[in-house]
Amino acid sequence: MDFPVIVTAIFGAFVVFGGGMGYVKAKSKASLIAGSITGGLLLLSAFLLSRGITAGAILAIVVSILLIGQFGPSLRKKFKVMPNLLVVILGFITIGTLVFSFFR
């Protein structure tokens, strides 16, 4: 399997898991819904990437940018490793991996 596929799938699984944890800890239905949707889109992106479909990379980059845009400002206001810092770091790693593999 290709490295960008693995990175995107790990990020997607982390986001789904984080949404579930947000629901368990804070009873936040919004976390569950948003985590399921964005994580599911990242997992779909990984599947598309594994099939060689370029739209998977574009979808993963867009979702990653949206997640960074959501969690980045929260990270600046209140430094929390979980989930803010991890989402931002994994988002940048995913974007970097996809962009690098796209121009390879």
Side-chain angles (χ1 to χ4, degrees):
M1 208 181 295
D2 205 14
F3 188 66
V5 174
I6 294 169
V7 169
T8 305
I10 289 171
F11 189 29
F14 175 78
V15 171
V16 170
F17 178 76
M21 289 304 298
Y23 179 72
V24 168
K25 285 183 141 188
K27 301 294 183 213
S28 171
K29 289 181 184 177
S31 290
L32 181 63
I33 293 167
S36 297
I37 291 171
T38 55
L41 288 172
L42 286 166
L43 292 171
L44 173 64
S45 298
F47 174 76
L48 294 174
L49 285 167
S50 71
R51 300 285 186 233
I53 301 171
T54 308
I58 295 167
L59 179 60
I61 290 170
V62 168
V63 172
S64 297
I65 290 170
L66 291 173
L67 286 169
I68 291 168
Q70 176 66 33
F71 286 89
S74 299
L75 180 62
R76 275 190 255 147
K77 288 180 186 175
K78 185 175 182 184
F79 185 83
K80 288 177 25 179
V81 172
M82 195 56 184
N84 297 346
L85 181 62
L86 287 176
V87 170
V88 170
I89 289 173
L90 288 174
F92 279 120
I93 290 171
T94 302
I95 291 170
T97 303
L98 291 167
V99 168
F100 180 75
S101 71
F102 189 71
F103 288 111
R104 186 168 43 114

